Amino acid sequence: MVIIIMRVLGIETSCDETGIAIYDQKKGLLANQLYSQVKLHADYGGVVPELASRDHIRKTVPLIQAALSEARLNGLELEIDGVAYTAGPGLVSTLMVGATIGRALAYAWGVPAIAVNHMEGHLLSPMLEMNPPEFPFLALLVSGAHTQLIAATGIGKYQLLGESIDDAAGEAFDKTAKLLGLDYPGGPMLSRIAQNGMPGRYTFPRPMTDRPGLSFSFSGLKTFAANIIRTGPDNYQMRADVARAFEEAIVETLIIKCQRALDLTGFQRLVMAGGVSTNQLLRMNMSKMMQQRGGEAFYARPDFCTDNGAMIAYAGMLRLQGGSQTSLMISVYPRWPIEELPAIIT
Ligand code: KG4
Ligand code: ZN
């Protein structure tokens, strides 16, 4: 039986962003709504799960309503063929909000629902753009909770080649930013002040590049930064210099490991996704490296790199079209390794 799923509502509530989108197979993205809780958590220096889930409860239904009217404004008779919601990995209490609302809506509308893996959403996000990557490709997923290198040969055909054994790249950015007195999430701010840093003032290590393998370890960089901050002069220039050296170290380490993974797989395409992939230095140097190899790098626009509903609607559409759907029993998976996803046979 051929299942025709044209238009999917996507719901993302895995952490501190409520993202709602409607994706249409023919017309592309019809609506994209996002509410960020960054201000809510700023005073705590990180995401407070209880506050996050309460806020998702407040925002999800009004944002769905807003997305439906945004899509209707384009002059469409709106019918939704399926509902996709993030079911993991993420915070259990926030995942439950999107999963409950999404599953219940699909039941009420009499359409199928699909539980989407957040990391697969990130991995497929560059496919929302004009020049989508074709399989096979190497994926570097760099977010607040994950740093993973994946050999992707099809939808659901993901082989984990390496990941962080401690802090994720985004986590390292956020923790070092905190040491520099910057607000959560500090990644973008750290990157901004790094532009005023003096090159060569400090040199951070490139962790785990002195031995073979594709694992990452970023927690030592934060300790390295802490030692400089404790002993150095306490002024803006020192902070900018530390930020610059830290950013250069993370970027170079990620690129060295990508080169190794490309050598190993023989792939010519690289996809980079997740919040850290918005980093300008990382994009610039990664593109340069891929160009030098005669390959091609693919990134989504910044709004689709950080958490959003569009990637969930899109991944959900592909999975629904592949014949998967989720039963009426609502389950969420705070840990849900991307390699465990079933492949879609096309
Ligand atoms: O993918 P994402 O929005 O959420 C998770 O699924 O974790 O990623 C958020 C992470 C945060 O750690 C944030 O500091 C980092 O991405 N980030 C950046 C930049 N923009 C966001 N890190 C470095 N440079 C940036 N420009
Ligand atoms: Zn994410």
Side-chain angles (χ1 to χ4, degrees), residues 6-222:
M6 299 272 292
R7 200 173 294 142
V8 173
L9 173 79
I11 303 175
E12 156 62 35
T13 61
S14 70
C15 191
D16 58 349
E17 252 110 30
T18 318
I20 308 291
I22 299 169
Y23 190 87
D24 182 288
Q25 187 186 18
K26 287 217 178 97
K27 301 192 175 78
L29 201 60
L30 299 181
N32 189 34
Q33 298 280 332
L34 187 82
Y35 178 79
S36 171
Q37 303 177 352
V38 159
K39 282 204 193 89
L40 181 70
H41 304 289
D43 288 348
Y44 304 92
V47 178
V48 184
E50 175 70 21
L51 294 180
S53 44
R54 285 174 189 222
D55 211 45
H56 284 303
I57 287 175
R58 274 193 292 269
K59 297 291 177 350
T60 304
V61 174
L63 277 186
I64 291 173
Q65 218 172 13
L68 289 170
S69 29
E70 185 188 342
R72 265 191 217 107
L73 285 180
N74 296 341
L76 283 162
E77 270 301 310
L78 202 72
E79 262 193 36
I80 299 289
D81 302 319
V83 178
Y85 56 85
T86 306
L91 301 169
V92 68
S93 62
T94 62
L95 289 167
M96 278 167 62
V97 176
T100 308
I101 294 173
R103 190 66 198 85
L105 253 186
Y107 177 64
W109 285 342
V111 298
I114 183 79
V116 171
N117 180 294
H118 181 81
M119 299 315 290
E120 180 172 58
H122 276 307
L123 184 140
L124 300 175
S125 61
M127 296 187 183
L128 291 162
E129 301 297 354
M130 291 294 278
N131 172 30
E134 280 175 26
F135 292 108
F137 55 74
L138 175 73
L140 174 66
L141 303 182
V142 269
S143 69
H146 292 81
T147 305
Q148 296 184 319
L149 274 170
I150 289 162
T153 48
I155 310 273
K157 292 184 184 166
Y158 310 130
Q159 188 195 351
L160 182 68
L161 303 174
E163 64 183 334
S164 178
I165 58 169
D166 43 51
D167 292 354
E171 195 178 352
F173 265 101
D174 295 339
K175 286 179 175 170
T176 304
K178 197 172 183 179
L179 292 172
L180 294 170
L182 305 170
D183 283 345
Y184 179 86
M189 275 296 282
L190 185 151
S191 184
R192 213 165 301 145
I193 70 165
Q195 288 172 5
N196 301 322
M198 213 193 323
R201 171 84 183 279
Y202 301 111
T203 307
F204 279 57
R206 274 54 175 158
M208 301 187 80
T209 55
D210 58 349
R211 68 201 86 164
L214 294 168
S215 303
F216 301 92
S217 167
F218 291 123
S219 69
L221 292 180
K222 154 197 80 196

Side-chain angles (χ1 to χ4, degrees), residues 259-281:
Q259 282 174 300
R260 277 187 197 173
L262 290 164
D263 289 342
L264 182 80
T265 55
F267 294 166
Q268 293 282 17
R269 285 180 285 266
L270 178 133
V271 158
M272 188 163 69
V276 181
S277 70
T278 58
N279 184 279
Q280 284 302 321
L281 185 74

